[in-house]
Amino acid sequence: MIVDSLKNAWNVADLRKKIGYTLLMFLIFRIGAHIPIPFIDHDTLKKMLGTGGMFDFMDTLSGGSFKRLSVFALSITPYVTASIILQLLTIVIPSLERLSKEGDYGRKKITQYTRYSTVGLGFIQAFGLTYGVRGALNIPSPALKWPIYLLVALVLTAGTAFLMWLGEAITEKGIGNGISLIIFAGIVSRVPDAIKSLWNMLRVGEINAFSVIGLALLVVFITAGVIYVQEGTRRVSVQYAKRVVGRRVYGGQSSHIPLKVNQAGVIPVIFAISLLAFPQTIATWIPTSAFARFVNTWFSMNGSITSIPYLLVYGVLIIFFTYFYTAVTFNPVDVADNLKKYGGFIPGLRPGRPTAEYLSKILSRITLAGGLFLALIAVLPTLVIGLTGLKNIYFGGTSLLIVVGVALETMKQIESQLMSRHYQGFMK
């Protein structure tokens, strides 16, 4: 079915152009992932970063750019963090809330604020990363250190800004959500290296075949679970009253409101990752401080028992952002008002406030189920991976969640555009 949809999409000139543009942006992203920043000693950097933990996770999200310390080392995470901050401020600050309700103009202004915030946050994270890996910089003896640190931080910030533009260009001229697809491309690009590492470990006897089979079953389980939850909906029946306009009778038919179990998609996972990456970046800035020791001891993603607090906070953040993003994207009061305006009602409930409260109650329950599932899938592989002995290769449910979720959303957009271009009625 997916192959047929892609084949049909490629036969449509407009969709073929969009898919080709998206693939071209992917190519530019992969080229940039191999462009190193100046003054870097890769051998020293490799020894400093090592293997395992948060570094492997960030390297997976950035498509290998993080450990190479290329111009795209920060990936798109500062943009995601800035988006979180702006959406939170939209609820807290009345002027931003009014701006968000001003239609296209308000969205453009908030997008502009998000871009500025991305550059600011990107520079903070870039400078923290630069200072944390300063031992891997080959600085000539007569030169001053701080101007070099500033230059490297500016290069990393420019890389993030370019990726932000790349993602927005994909959204506007390509197919799918550009920011999500950038993260998707980074994760998928690491799959061949992961398979190669897995094969080498199996060949030298570091792991056995049962561990590989267990990993494969875990991948299948997570993929099936993500698809099942992403496609799951709770249908709320709606009845439309009959209206007589002139000599015609309108309404009287039945319909339903589809409430998705996971209304927020993979956005809560990306939000939680970006938020947890920020204090670890600050910790690299001040490595000898008590704050850095606390973060590295209790909130490091290193697969040991000390990562349990990290996983707990990670799971709670996913559930929180699931509720938060669902509340931002779906307003039961607006849905109830629209139903009342067009003569619709839920059987057994009065239009208006009772309908909104009923929808809020249903949405709260199914969002809890969706958030718990996302949190479970995100943290379960990190706990199971110690049993399989795959500590030298990064694999997480988070990556698989993002890949499957983004792939599903992109295929839905392709199919919806195909439907609008090739719609046929009952009579061919």
Side-chain angles (χ1 to χ4, degrees):
M1 182 178 178
I2 294 177
V3 176
D4 292 338
S5 297
L6 290 174
K7 187 185 298 183
N8 293 332
W10 193 255
N11 292 330
V12 179
D14 187 27
L15 283 179
R16 183 168 64 246
K17 183 178 178 181
K18 290 184 175 182
I19 294 174
Y21 184 85
T22 303
L23 294 176
L24 177 62
M25 294 299 104
F26 283 170
L27 178 62
I28 295 173
F29 168 59
R30 293 311 303 154
I31 292 174
H34 291 82
I35 299 176
I37 62 171
F39 305 104
I40 192 69
D41 183 353
H42 290 282
D43 293 333
T44 306
L45 180 68
K46 187 175 181 180
K47 293 177 182 178
M48 290 180 64
L49 296 182
T51 59
M54 190 68 186
F55 291 146
D56 277 356
F57 184 61
M58 294 297 296
D59 193 55
T60 301
L61 289 182
S62 63
S65 300
F66 185 81
K67 285 195 172 182
R68 294 191 197 101
L69 213 61
S70 71
V71 293
F72 293 160
L74 293 181
S75 187
I76 202 67
T77 51
Y79 179 87
V80 179
T81 307
S83 300
I84 298 171
I85 295 173
L86 261 295
Q87 289 188 2
L88 288 172
L89 292 179
T90 300
I91 299 175
V92 175
I93 301 176
S95 59
L96 284 177
E97 185 178 4
R98 290 193 298 270
L99 192 64
S100 66
K101 297 179 180 179
E102 291 184 7
D104 190 53
Y105 170 77
R107 286 193 297 271
K108 287 182 178 179
K109 292 296 291 183
I110 291 178
T111 300
Q112 187 178 9
Y113 296 154
T114 304
R115 291 169 182 166
Y116 293 149
S117 302
T118 299
V119 175
L121 288 173
F123 180 77
I124 293 173
Q125 293 189 25
F127 196 84
L129 178 61
T130 303
Y131 191 79
V133 299
R134 62 190 182 278
L137 296 176
N138 283 327
I139 302 176
S141 54
L144 297 175
K145 293 182 179 180
W146 288 102
I148 299 298
Y149 296 162
L150 182 62
L151 174 64
V152 173
L154 288 175
V155 171
L156 291 173
T157 306
T160 295
F162 182 79
L163 279 182
M164 177 177 62
W165 173 84
L166 210 66
E168 292 180 353
I170 292 174
T171 303
E172 182 180 354
K173 300 179 182 179
I175 193 80
N177 184 295
I179 302 300
S180 299
L181 284 172
I182 291 293
I183 300 175
F184 170 88
I187 295 173
V188 171
S189 67
R190 303 299 294 163
V191 172
D193 290 338
I195 295 175
K196 182 180 178 182
S197 299
L198 193 64
W199 169 252
N200 290 334
M201 293 168 64
L202 182 63
R203 188 165 51 86
V204 300
E206 190 173 346
I207 58 173
N208 53 44
F210 292 104
S211 297
V212 178
I213 294 173
L215 179 63
L217 291 176
L218 189 63
V219 171
V220 172
F221 166 74
I222 294 176
T223 303
V226 171
I227 295 174
Y228 180 78
V229 174
Q230 289 286 95
E231 298 299 308
T233 57
R234 167 73 156 85
R235 297 187 175 187
V236 180
S237 300
V238 176
Q239 186 74 30
Y240 286 91
K242 292 183 178 181
R243 294 181 299 159
V244 179
V245 181
R247 294 184 177 181
R248 294 187 176 185
V249 178
Y250 295 91
Q253 74 271 21
S254 298
S255 183
H256 67 271
I257 302 174
L259 299 178
K260 295 186 67 175
V261 175
N262 184 21
Q263 191 85 14
V266 298
I267 298 297
V269 179
I270 300 174
F271 277 10
I273 293 168
S274 302
L275 204 61
L276 284 175
F278 192 74
Q280 297 195 27
T281 304
I282 299 299
T284 61
W285 196 350
I286 43 177
T288 58
S289 65
F291 173 77
R293 288 194 296 270
F294 175 78
V295 170
N296 294 330
T297 302
W298 297 103
F299 290 93
S300 61
M301 193 175 171
N302 55 14
S304 66
I305 195 67
T306 55
S307 65
I308 290 179
Y310 174 92
L311 296 177
L312 290 175
V313 174
Y314 184 32
V316 170
L317 283 177
I318 289 175
I319 296 173
F320 168 76
F321 282 122
T322 302
Y323 272 99
F324 169 75
Y325 197 78
T326 301
V328 170
T329 56
F330 187 90
N331 191 338
V333 176
D334 291 343
V335 174
D337 291 341
N338 289 332
L339 283 176
K340 185 177 180 180
K341 184 188 299 183
Y342 294 103
F345 63 93
I346 298 175
L349 294 173
R350 296 180 60 185
R353 183 177 177 180
T355 299
E357 291 177 349
Y358 178 73
L359 290 175
S360 298
K361 185 178 180 181
I362 293 178
L363 194 64
S364 177
R365 290 178 177 177
I366 63 176
T367 301
L368 177 61
L372 287 173
F373 177 81
L374 285 178
L376 177 64
I377 295 299
V379 304
L380 182 62
T382 306
L383 297 176
V384 174
I385 207 166
L387 300 176
T388 60
L390 302 174
K391 295 182 180 180
N392 294 326
I393 181 172
Y394 176 76
F395 168 76
T398 303
S399 303
L400 206 53
L401 270 174
I402 295 173
V403 169
V404 176
V406 173
L408 284 174
E409 292 174 5
T410 305
M411 286 305 304
K412 284 182 180 179
Q413 287 197 26
I414 294 176
E415 289 177 356
S416 65
Q417 295 196 32
L418 280 173
M419 185 71 70
S420 65
R421 287 169 172 79
H422 293 287
Y423 177 76
Q424 293 179 343
F426 291 108
M427 303 294 294
K428 291 187 178 181

